[in-house]
């Protein structure tokens, strides 16, 4: 399978988020975001998706 480029991923995410924008954003906002801003937004929206067992007591600042 051919790896997907950052630009291709950003365009795929752009289409997804234009159809269903995150709370507080409009399709217009998404349409004119840079690829890197869009990828960053997606990362932060899904940062803890894989860690369903995350609890506050598991988080420590040193």
């Amino acid at each position: 399978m051919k790896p997907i480029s950052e630009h291709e991923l950003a365009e795929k995410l752009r289409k997804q988020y234009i159809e269903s924008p995150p709370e507080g954003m409009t399709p217009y906002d998404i349409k004119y975001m840079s690829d890197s801003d869009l990828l960053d937004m997606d990362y932060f929206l899904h940062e803890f998706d894989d860690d369903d067992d995350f609890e506050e007591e598991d988080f420590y600042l040193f």
Side-chain angles (χ1 to χ4, degrees):
M1 182 186 329
K2 178 185 168 193
I4 187 168
S5 72
E6 284 186 9
H7 178 72
E8 291 169 326
L9 177 58
E11 288 306 310
K12 181 179 175 181
L13 290 170
R14 188 178 317 280
K15 182 178 178 184
Q16 173 188 333
Y17 286 126
I18 285 174
E19 292 174 8
S20 180
E23 186 175 336
M25 300 195 82
T26 67
Y28 180 86
D29 296 331
I30 303 297
K31 183 176 181 178
Y32 292 103
M33 287 178 81
S34 69
D35 288 355
S36 63
D37 287 344
L38 189 63
L39 293 169
D40 287 346
M41 178 188 77
D42 182 66
Y43 173 81
F44 287 110
L45 286 173
H46 297 97
E47 185 174 17
F48 295 110
D49 283 357
D50 294 336
D51 191 9
D52 293 335
D53 297 330
F54 177 79
E55 294 185 22
E56 220 173 292
E57 68 250 11
D58 295 336
F59 184 73
Y60 302 99
L61 288 175
F62 294 99

